[in-house]
Amino acid sequence: MRALTHVQRLMAGAAATGLLAGGAALGMAGTASASAPAAAPAAVAGQHSDHGGHHWNKGHWEKRWVKGHWEKKWSDHRSWHYAHWDHWGNWHHGYWDHGYTWTYVPDHWDWYWSDGYWG
């Protein structure tokens, strides 16, 4: 019996809250429709003018400083590799070689494409 009383009170409270919230919403709707029409577009424009604080940055070319580094580059000329003993005592024969070689590229400015993004 006590549980039934609690359920009835809970249902009555929920209904009263719903009626109050519905009445308040209707009251606000009536006020909004009665007010000047210029107030509504200003509120909407204020909410969406900056897309929530973000703006679009277009893609563009920008110059960046690149530190010196080693790059593997294609070499057209043939180079002679001398025969030598390695650290483990193995003999390596000399040979002619062409193809990719490691080349040091000094510090320099370079252009990079920066994609557009929301910032």
Side-chain angles (χ1 to χ4, degrees), residues 3-117:
L4 182 60
T5 307
H6 285 294
V7 171
Q8 287 176 346
R9 286 183 184 167
L10 182 64
M11 295 298 285
T17 304
L19 287 175
L20 288 175
L26 285 175
M28 292 300 289
T31 306
S33 65
S35 65
V44 171
Q47 291 173 355
H48 299 290
S49 64
D50 61 351
H51 299 288
H54 298 288
H55 59 280
W56 178 252
N57 293 321
K58 293 190 320 183
H60 58 279
W61 287 98
E62 63 183 29
K63 220 173 188 181
R64 292 188 196 162
W65 180 251
V66 180
K67 291 173 30 177
H69 59 278
W70 288 90
E71 282 184 3
K72 198 171 191 179
K73 290 188 173 183
W74 179 258
S75 174
D76 287 339
H77 66 278
R78 295 176 64 95
S79 59
W80 175 253
H81 293 267
Y82 293 100
H84 66 280
W85 292 95
D86 65 10
H87 296 291
W88 299 277
N90 298 323
W91 177 251
H92 295 274
H93 296 285
Y95 61 96
W96 285 99
D97 187 28
H98 72 283
Y100 288 100
T101 58
W102 287 99
T103 308
Y104 184 76
V105 180
D107 301 346
H108 63 282
W109 287 96
D110 205 357
W111 289 96
Y112 287 93
W113 178 253
S114 177
D115 291 330
Y117 62 94

